[in-house]
Amino acid sequence: MAKKQKNPTKGSASICVNRKARHEYFIEDQFEAGLALTGWEVKSLREGKCQLIDSYVLIKDDEAWLVGALITPLGHASSHIVADPRRTRKLLLHRREIDRITGQIQAKGYTSVALELYWKGPRVKCKIGIAKGKQLHDKRATAKERDWNKQKERLMKHSV
């Protein structure tokens, strides 16, 4: 008799990824934060209706807020309320984490960006990155290194 899987997943745990952030910034440190959402937002996230482009984390009054994330409302799930798809959402972090993020952001040239939204059990988590902006030559060097790694893999594959 075969064992049953405890929690079969239908797909990836990732909801949406901010790929532009990895292109525009050097990610120095990462944090995991919970996200305070309403019912229609959770339903939209289950459908994958989310974008993190141009979203960032704002520390205000010793609380962390996710600004600029777009969660598109579903027509059939949020018909009885007026939904704001770009509303500011509260991030759930411990005091030590907020203090650490604040200290790193106050350093010259650093900012905090949302990197990814994903499921962790029944909850939605947001991966926050402490980032420093890349200049054009840094972006070129990153692309060159990525191409070289791909070429190296091809050479190793053919030589074996």
Side-chain angles (χ1 to χ4, degrees):
M1 189 152 101
K3 287 185 178 179
K4 285 186 177 179
Q5 288 183 349
K6 281 188 177 179
N7 212 357
T9 56
K10 296 180 181 176
S12 172
S14 179
I15 300 169
C16 65
V17 178
N18 188 356
R19 291 190 180 116
K20 188 175 180 182
R22 298 229 184 248
H23 178 72
E24 297 286 329
Y25 302 102
F26 290 114
I27 307 301
E28 301 288 331
D29 200 2
Q30 294 182 1
F31 295 91
E32 179 182 74
L35 204 55
L37 299 170
T38 59
W40 69 267
E41 291 172 329
V42 175
K43 290 179 183 181
S44 293
L45 289 176
R46 291 202 186 278
E47 295 290 323
K49 307 276 186 184
C50 177
Q51 288 183 358
L52 287 178
I53 298 171
D54 298 331
S55 62
Y56 59 96
V57 176
L58 177 69
I59 307 291
K60 183 178 179 183
D61 298 329
D62 291 331
E63 292 181 336
W65 300 89
L66 179 63
V67 180
L70 175 70
I71 300 177
T72 308
L74 299 174
H76 62 282
S78 57
S79 59
H80 61 285
I81 58 168
V82 177
D84 182 16
R86 287 212 181 258
R87 78 175 181 91
T88 303
R89 294 166 180 90
K90 187 173 183 178
L91 292 171
L92 307 173
L93 290 163
H94 291 286
R95 170 68 46 216
R96 286 187 320 262
E97 292 174 326
I98 293 174
D99 292 341
R100 193 166 155 206
I101 290 171
T102 304
Q104 290 180 351
I105 289 174
Q106 289 174 350
K108 185 178 178 187
Y110 284 92
T111 186
S112 56
V113 294
L115 300 174
E116 181 180 4
L117 287 181
Y118 57 93
W119 295 104
K120 191 168 186 181
R123 297 178 185 8
V124 176
K125 299 289 183 172
C126 179
K127 189 180 289 185
I128 300 168
I130 304 300
K132 187 168 188 158
K134 285 185 184 178
Q135 294 182 353
L136 183 60
H137 60 85
D138 294 329
K139 294 176 191 176
R140 288 180 183 154
T142 304
K144 188 176 181 180
E145 182 179 340
R146 185 176 53 240
D147 292 342
W148 168 240
N149 287 335
K150 284 181 186 178
Q151 187 176 4
K152 230 181 354 183
E153 288 293 323
R154 286 188 204 117
L155 290 173
M156 294 299 288
K157 187 184 249 185
H158 290 297
S159 66
V160 172

